Amino acid sequence: MAHFTLAVSERTFRRSFDLLKRNLTFAQADQVSFGIFVAGYDVQAHLEGGTIDLRNDNTISVREVDIRWDRLRFILSINIPEICVGGGCINMPWPIPDICLPRVCVFSGNPDVSLSPDLAAFVAQEVSFTGSVVARYFDTSIPLPSPDLCAPIRIEPLPDHNQWHIHIDPETIDVDLFDFPDIVGNLIEDALSDAIRAIIPGGFVRDIILAIIGGIADFIRFLLDIPDEIEEWLSDLFNVSFGLLDFIGTLVLDFFSSCNPIYAIDDPYELLPAEGGLIPVRIPLRNLSVRVNDVEMVAEVDIGA
């Protein structure tokens, strides 16, 4: 039988979770080459809202926590194959000089077109998970792993003394898919169309180039290998190609289960501080265990040498 039992009400547990959750912020950037174009992202976000419930089966349920995008920049660079028209000469009999046509080339840059719109205003996502609470012992004599994956998301510095840490341990995590609305597809298509039109000179050269590439909208879809709508292609990039959903899920898991305890208890625990020339009274804590029911979290611990 445990020597000491501590209970934390569901209301207090919710407040503790809310304080911890508010500190989960992250930033990430990456790019992927698809041959003729490079696509990437530069994002920053934090968590807001949501609910947490303690349940009788010794689990917790965290629902509908909002992912608030402070920055959701989509980066796209396209290296369009160069197209040249004109050039060459018509040989004329002497003494008539040869007739040479001017040569005009377009899409000679690298990249030819670049854009980086911030799409944060158009995306709303939530993350939910179920899990449990677990107790882990932090022993200062054990070296930290190298590299320390918790370092970028650890809220408080690690203590210089031993502690018991109580963690929320997510087991199943659900992150909403990126689902960009039609307006985002239209904005990107318009921006690309304007950029390509600006490259093509006017007059008969424009007519020749447009005859070669067809309509600009179809040309964009050909370059980016887009079978359907641009917003669907964009959603697929964020959901699959970029691996951003996996990153968010792993981040939430590590933040709560490994890097940031919801409660920390010193070992040994100080009952009375040093006072009047007397040394402090501390007791060692052993075999800490935690569980939840629908009204509270219960921690039980032995007191031992």
Side-chain angles (χ1 to χ4, degrees):
M1 182 176 179
H3 297 151
F4 186 74
T5 301
L6 171 69
V8 176
S9 70
E10 184 176 38
R11 182 179 180 182
T12 300
F13 191 90
R14 286 174 178 168
R15 289 179 177 176
S16 300
F17 171 76
D18 188 57
L19 290 173
L20 185 60
K21 174 198 64 186
R22 291 179 188 177
N23 286 279
L24 200 171
T25 62
F26 64 90
Q28 178 77 351
D30 197 9
Q31 293 187 353
V32 180
S33 175
F34 295 89
I36 200 171
F37 69 93
V38 174
Y41 62 89
D42 179 9
V43 302
Q44 181 174 319
H46 64 279
L47 299 185
E48 290 183 2
T51 62
I52 181 169
D53 291 313
L54 308 185
R55 305 195 295 193
N56 261 331
D57 60 355
N58 196 30
T59 63
I60 61 172
S61 174
V62 176
R63 312 300 299 173
E64 299 176 346
V65 177
D66 295 320
I67 302 174
R68 296 296 188 188
W69 293 103
D70 306 304
R71 181 179 67 250
L72 185 64
R73 194 174 304 282
F74 172 58
I75 301 168
L76 180 64
S77 299
I78 308 175
N79 186 20
I80 305 172
E82 185 179 56
I83 297 176
C84 296
V85 297
C89 294
I90 301 175
N91 295 324
M92 303 299 292
W94 186 88
I96 301 174
D98 294 342
I99 300 175
C100 294
L101 301 176
R103 178 179 175 86
V104 178
C105 295
V106 295
F107 309 131
S108 303
N110 186 16
D112 299 285
V113 176
S114 296
L115 55 83
S116 55
D118 190 341
L119 307 177
F122 303 101
V123 178
Q125 286 174 281
E126 295 175 340
V127 58
S128 301
F129 62 83
T130 58
S132 58
V133 288
V134 296
R136 298 193 178 99
Y137 194 71
F138 176 74
D139 188 341
T140 56
S141 67
I142 300 176
L144 292 176
S146 182
D148 181 9
L149 299 180
C150 285
I153 55 175
R154 185 179 290 118
I155 298 172
E156 298 288 343
L158 289 172
D160 58 2
H161 53 277
N162 295 346
Q163 284 185 336
W164 282 99
H165 289 174
I166 298 175
H167 285 268
I168 295 173
D169 189 22
E171 296 171 359
T172 59
I173 300 177
D174 178 32
V175 183
D176 286 349
L177 295 175
F178 287 89
D179 185 15
F180 293 97
D182 295 348
I183 188 174
V184 170
N186 295 334
L187 289 173
I188 292 177
E189 182 171 341
D190 290 345
L192 289 174
S193 298
D194 291 343
I196 291 174
R197 287 192 188 97
I199 296 174
I200 303 174
F204 77 94
V205 174
R206 173 181 290 268
D207 296 335
I208 296 174
I209 297 296
L210 291 179
I212 294 173
I213 67 175
I216 290 181
D218 291 336
F219 185 53
I220 291 171
R221 282 171 168 74
F222 168 75
L223 292 172
L224 301 180
D225 192 22
I226 300 176
D228 297 308
E229 301 300 326
I230 287 183
E231 61 271 13
E232 296 178 6
W233 168 80
L234 183 64
S235 297
D236 186 64
L237 281 178
F238 275 86
N239 289 324
V240 180
S241 302
F242 291 160
L244 197 52
L245 289 182
D246 290 339
F247 168 79
I248 295 172
T250 301
L251 177 77
V252 171
L253 175 66
D254 291 343
F255 181 87
F256 290 107
S257 69
S258 302
C259 303
N260 297 285
I262 191 168
Y263 298 113
I265 306 171
D266 290 342
D267 180 34
Y269 181 76
E270 185 174 289
L271 287 179
L272 296 173
E275 188 176 357
L278 300 176
I279 63 173
V281 177
R282 299 188 178 99
I283 56 173
L285 305 179
R286 300 291 181 264
N287 306 320
L288 178 68
S289 63
V290 288
R291 66 181 189 276
V292 297
N293 54 48
D294 61 347
V295 295
E296 61 189 4
M297 183 198 80
V298 179
E300 296 177 323
V301 66
D302 295 330
I303 299 173

